[in-house]
């Protein structure tokens, strides 16, 4: 049976909102419905001179559309789901959620403002445009030097403001840019890993809202529902709901479902200019999961932390922990010394298992084949490589070195690989290759123990290498009350040799993952 009445779809008037409304229009037309779009102006569209956190209440991009739905001026509202309050007004419900477009954030940088040696590739003291408290808080955690300026308007308007040099860089949701197919070739474009820079709950998802009593329309619209997306954004939005927040809250939540397990990354700040708390969670069930996340975020209390590396002033680990009341001491129990190298063999790939290997290799100005590609074990090593104006073609993404090695071996295929490394290095990556004949090791530095390193008394101990474990145990021991974090499997294995069991592993072996692990204790 075909519905005879025409369906009126309510939408904001921006290019992106109309793209979304037309996308849904085509979908419901394929279901046999007759429909048209009605444009509605919202408070968020009308007020362009205030940042989101200064606008009153919640739902400032949705309220007028919801009112039109309740008043039967429209039959179906198409929303960016992240803009919706977590509780629908009485009489309305979400009939379907779309498949998820890319949930990540983009940074767009004017090319004259690019500095690849800096985190996120914009120059020091850059002016960065965003009106999102969530984005501001996370940006400052990674780059304290930047100046943040509010940025309002639809997507093309924001990009034009960057083009007009009102900003050095701006932040946008990747989904909106991709849906509009905007040419960004005049800018440097960075897609941020949503596990590192946490998006808004339900970012990249459309919410299709109808009246609760419109059972006839529900039967059609619900056919467009993605149950998989509904499950994961249900967790994200429940966390937002429990914090009683709207889209102006400095809260990022990102969930995926992998191997029947929910994996959630969170970032929560008290205000846009305070350091975020970061946590990573796993659960086989969604029941009570959001409440557990909120409880743990609320329970975070500053402790004393020792990490076995010397920390720089721009350290994310140091910034977010100290900003939340932790006492952080960075003490490396080892030091490194350069080992002189001679000629570098011609190779297809160079793989780095540490930032030290990157720095000691390039400090000697090696001659490389122009088409040589670079692989790195993780994000911190990738950033070290960028400081030498090189980009990684392979970046490891898990905290198990063997898994990274297997993935890298598969990527390399039959090509040759050079491994700049420490003297006596573990060679875990190399051991994952079946054909060792195409591999070459090159010692570029050696590790020696520090004789004068002090051993502070801390509640949490974070070990960043097997050699630091060895040197630590020459000076002291771990008590029953101290909590221990190992940066990866090799470090965990070394701790086990000293009788340390039940140490925690981060979700990623970089400063972000280590901070999440500390917050989780």
């Amino acid at each position: 049976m075909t519905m005879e009445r025409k369906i009126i779809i309510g939408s904001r008037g921006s290019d992106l909102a109309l793209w979304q409304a037309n996308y849904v229009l085509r979908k419901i037309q394929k279901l046999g419905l007759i429909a048209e779009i009605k444009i509605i102006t919202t408070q968020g569209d009308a007020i362009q001179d205030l940042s989101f956190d200064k606008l009153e209440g919640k739902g400032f991009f949705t309220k007028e559309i919801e009112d039109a739905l309740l008043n039967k001026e429209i039959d179906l509202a198409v929303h960016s789901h992240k803009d919706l309050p977590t509780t629908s007004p009485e009489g309305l419900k979400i009939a379907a959620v779309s498949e998820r477009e890319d949930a990540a954030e983009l940074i767009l940088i004017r090319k004259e403002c690019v500095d690849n040696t800096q985190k996120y590739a914009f120059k020091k003291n850059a002016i960065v445009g965003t009106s999102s408290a969530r984005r501001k808080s996370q940006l400052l955690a990674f780059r304290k030097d930047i100046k943040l300026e509010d940025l309002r308007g639809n997507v093309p308007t924001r990009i034009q403001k960057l083009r007009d040099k009102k900003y050095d860089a701006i932040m946008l949701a990747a989904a909106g840019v991709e849906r509009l197919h905007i040419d960004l070739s005049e800018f440097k474009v960075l897609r941020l890993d949503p596990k590192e820079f946490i998006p808004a709950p339900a970012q990249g998802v459309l919410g299709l809202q109808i009246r609760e009593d419109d059972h006839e329309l529900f039967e059609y619209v619900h056919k467009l529902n993605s149950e998989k997306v509904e499950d994961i954004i249900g967790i994200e939005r429940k966390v937002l709901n429990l914090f009683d927040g709207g889209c102006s809250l400095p809260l990022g939540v990102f969930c995926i479902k992998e191997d029947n397990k929910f994996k959630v990354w969170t970032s929560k700040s008290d205000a846009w200019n305070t350091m975020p708390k970061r946590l990573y969670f796993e659960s086989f069930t969604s029941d009570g999961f959001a409440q557990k996340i909120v409880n743990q975020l609320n329970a975070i209390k500053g402790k004393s932390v020792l990490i076995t590396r010397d920390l720089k002033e721009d350290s994310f680990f140091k910034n977010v922990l100290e900003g939340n009341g932790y006492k952080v001491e960075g003490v490396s129990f080892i030091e490194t010394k350069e080992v002189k190298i001679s000629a570098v063999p011609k190779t297809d790939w160079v793989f780095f298992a540490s930032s030290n290997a990157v720095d000691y290799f390039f400090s000697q100005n090696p001659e490389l084949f122009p088409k040589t590609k670079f692989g790195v074990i993780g994000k911190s090593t990738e950033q070290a490589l960028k400081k030498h104006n090189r980009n990684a073609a392979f970046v490891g993404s898990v905290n198990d070195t063997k898994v990274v090695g297997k993935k890298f071996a598969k990527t390399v295929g039959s090509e040759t690989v050079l491994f700049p490394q420490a003297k006596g290095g573990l060679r875990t990556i190399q051991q994952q290759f079946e054909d060792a004949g195409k591999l070459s090791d090159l010692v570029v530095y050696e590790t020696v123990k520090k004789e004068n390193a002090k051993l502070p008394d801390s509640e949490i101990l974070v070990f960043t290498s097997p050699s630091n474990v060895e040197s630590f145990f020459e000076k002291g021991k771990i008590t029953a009350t101290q909590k221990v974090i190992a940066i990866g499997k090799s470090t965990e294995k070394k701790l086990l040799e000293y009788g340390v069991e039940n140490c925690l592993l981060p979700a990623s072996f970089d400063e972000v993952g280590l901070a999440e692990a500390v917050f989780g204790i």
Side-chain angles (χ1 to χ4, degrees):
M1 179 175 169
T2 304
M3 187 185 294
E4 294 184 3
R5 80 181 205 257
K6 181 190 287 185
I7 303 304
I8 308 299
I9 300 172
S11 170
R12 296 166 58 203
S14 71
D15 290 351
L16 178 57
L18 288 173
W19 183 98
Q20 293 171 173
N22 278 292
Y23 171 81
V24 173
L25 174 66
R26 292 190 295 271
K27 291 278 187 182
I28 66 171
Q29 285 174 336
K30 286 182 180 179
L31 297 175
L33 301 182
I34 300 169
E36 65 179 39
I37 295 169
K38 180 177 181 179
I39 295 174
I40 298 169
T41 301
T42 68
Q43 178 193 16
D45 298 311
I47 301 173
Q48 291 289 320
D49 58 344
L50 293 176
S51 62
F52 298 143
D53 53 320
K54 294 183 178 70
L55 288 168
E56 291 290 334
K58 306 169 192 172
F60 38 81
F61 284 122
T62 60
K63 185 180 183 302
E64 288 79 3
I65 296 175
E66 290 178 325
D67 287 346
L69 197 52
L70 287 167
N71 295 333
K72 299 190 176 180
E73 298 166 22
I74 61 173
D75 304 294
L76 170 64
V78 179
H79 303 283
S80 290
H81 211 326
K82 70 184 180 70
D83 293 337
L84 279 167
T86 54
T87 303
S88 280
E90 188 174 346
L92 301 182
K93 68 177 179 180
I94 300 298
V97 300
S98 71
E99 294 294 331
R100 191 170 212 168
E101 187 69 71
D102 190 350
E105 308 279 15
L106 294 184
I107 293 180
L108 277 53
I109 312 168
R110 289 193 292 114
K111 287 185 177 176
E112 62 268 33
C113 301
V114 170
D115 182 350
N116 287 316
T117 68
Q118 300 294 321
K119 180 72 173 179
Y120 297 143
F122 42 74
K123 66 183 182 181
K124 283 191 76 67
N125 304 310
I127 298 171
V128 182
T130 176
S131 287
S132 160
R134 171 186 55 82
R135 288 172 179 157
K136 289 177 181 178
S137 173
Q138 292 187 67
L139 273 171
L140 289 173
F142 288 105
R143 291 286 304 271
K144 290 200 296 186
D145 61 290
I146 62 173
K147 182 181 180 183
L148 293 167
E149 296 281 359
D150 284 332
L151 172 67
R152 294 291 310 279
N154 59 38
V155 172
T157 299
R158 296 182 193 197
I159 293 172
Q160 186 59 47
K161 288 178 179 180
L162 177 63
R163 192 176 285 122
D164 293 340
K165 301 185 178 181
K166 294 181 179 178
Y167 308 91
D168 299 319
I170 63 172
M171 285 199 72
L172 298 168
V177 176
E178 289 165 7
R179 285 169 178 155
L180 292 175
H181 302 290
I182 296 172
D183 180 8
L184 300 175
S185 58
E186 66 193 283
F187 308 112
K188 181 177 179 67
V189 181
L190 266 71
R191 177 191 178 274
L192 307 188
D193 183 346
K195 298 171 186 176
E196 177 181 279
F197 202 104
I198 315 298
Q203 184 155 303
V205 179
L206 303 181
L208 279 56
Q209 191 178 41
I210 64 171
R211 289 182 292 279
E212 262 184 341
D213 59 3
D214 197 343
H215 306 297
E216 186 182 28
L217 182 56
F218 178 82
E219 291 301 317
Y220 285 90
V221 175
H222 192 64
K223 292 175 183 177
L224 305 177
N225 188 55
S226 169
E227 289 187 8
K228 179 183 176 183
V229 173
E230 187 177 30
D231 278 352
I232 60 176
I233 70 166
I235 293 170
E236 294 175 4
R237 283 177 56 79
K238 183 62 176 176
V239 173
L240 179 64
N241 172 262
L242 291 168
F243 278 118
D244 192 30
C247 62
S248 63
L249 187 71
L251 173 71
V253 190
F254 179 62
C255 177
I256 62 173
K257 193 172 185 181
E258 202 171 63
D259 302 324
N260 293 317
K261 185 187 293 185
F262 292 102
K263 299 180 179 180
V264 178
W265 290 260
T266 62
S267 172
K268 166 70 168 61
S269 303
D270 295 328
W272 72 266
N273 56 354
T274 62
M275 288 292 107
K277 301 175 177 70
R278 295 279 307 233
L279 284 173
Y280 169 74
F281 300 86
E282 294 182 354
S283 176
F284 284 106
T285 176
S286 60
D287 294 342
F289 190 26
Q291 186 66 64
K292 178 184 175 184
I293 292 168
V294 170
N295 290 346
Q296 196 156 341
L297 280 166
N298 285 333
I300 286 173
K301 185 179 178 182
K303 301 177 179 71
S304 56
V305 183
L306 166 67
I307 183 169
T308 63
R309 63 168 53 153
D310 298 323
L311 296 175
K312 298 176 181 177
E313 278 305 306
D314 62 354
S315 161
F316 175 91
F317 182 87
K318 176 185 173 70
N319 289 342
V320 296
L321 290 172
E322 289 186 345
N324 284 288
Y326 287 74
K327 180 185 176 184
V328 180
E329 292 194 63
V331 180
S332 178
F333 296 96
I334 57 173
E335 54 188 353
T336 55
K337 294 181 179 179
E338 180 180 274
V339 172
K340 292 290 183 185
I341 60 174
S342 51
V344 174
K346 183 178 177 180
T347 182
D348 299 306
W349 285 85
V350 179
F351 185 90
F352 298 101
S354 71
S355 300
N356 281 328
V358 174
D359 292 337
Y360 283 115
F361 180 72
F362 283 106
S363 68
Q364 301 190 53
N365 299 312
E367 269 193 50
L368 290 169
F369 182 56
K371 293 184 180 180
T372 297
K373 292 163 285 190
F374 298 95
V376 293
I377 200 163
K379 292 175 187 172
S380 297
T381 310
E382 179 188 23
Q383 188 60 34
L385 186 65
K386 285 181 177 179
K387 289 182 178 179
H388 294 277
N389 293 309
R390 309 279 180 157
N391 292 315
F394 174 91
V395 182
S397 59
V398 294
N399 61 4
D400 188 332
T401 311
K402 289 183 179 179
V403 173
V404 173
K406 286 182 171 66
K407 287 183 178 179
F408 181 58
K410 187 176 180 180
T411 301
V412 166
S414 60
E415 294 180 305
T416 56
V417 190
L418 177 69
F419 291 88
Q421 61 181 37
K423 183 178 180 181
L426 294 174
R427 303 188 74 256
T428 309
I429 299 293
Q430 293 95 310
Q431 290 166 16
Q432 310 315 309
F433 282 74
E434 293 182 5
D435 179 10
K438 60 190 177 185
L439 311 182
S440 303
D441 293 342
L442 180 68
V443 174
V444 294
Y445 73 101
E446 62 178 328
T447 299
V448 295
K449 294 166 185 172
K450 272 188 184 176
E451 299 301 327
N452 58 350
K454 295 180 180 179
L455 190 64
D457 183 22
S458 302
E459 296 165 271
I460 301 172
L461 304 174
V462 182
F463 289 95
T464 56
S465 68
S467 51
N468 260 301
V469 173
E470 288 182 343
S471 188
F472 175 90
F473 275 96
E474 286 186 5
K475 300 176 184 301
K477 60 182 181 179
I478 295 173
T479 66
T481 59
Q482 288 176 310
K483 303 294 184 182
V484 180
I485 297 168
I487 196 170
K489 292 283 188 179
S490 299
T491 306
E492 179 190 39
K493 183 180 177 183
K494 182 60 67 175
L495 284 161
L496 276 170
E497 291 176 15
Y498 286 91
V500 181
E501 299 179 350
N502 302 317
C503 66
L504 298 171
L505 288 171
S508 58
F509 44 53
D510 53 19
E511 288 204 351
V512 174
L514 292 174
E516 289 169 348
V518 170
F519 279 128
I521 292 176

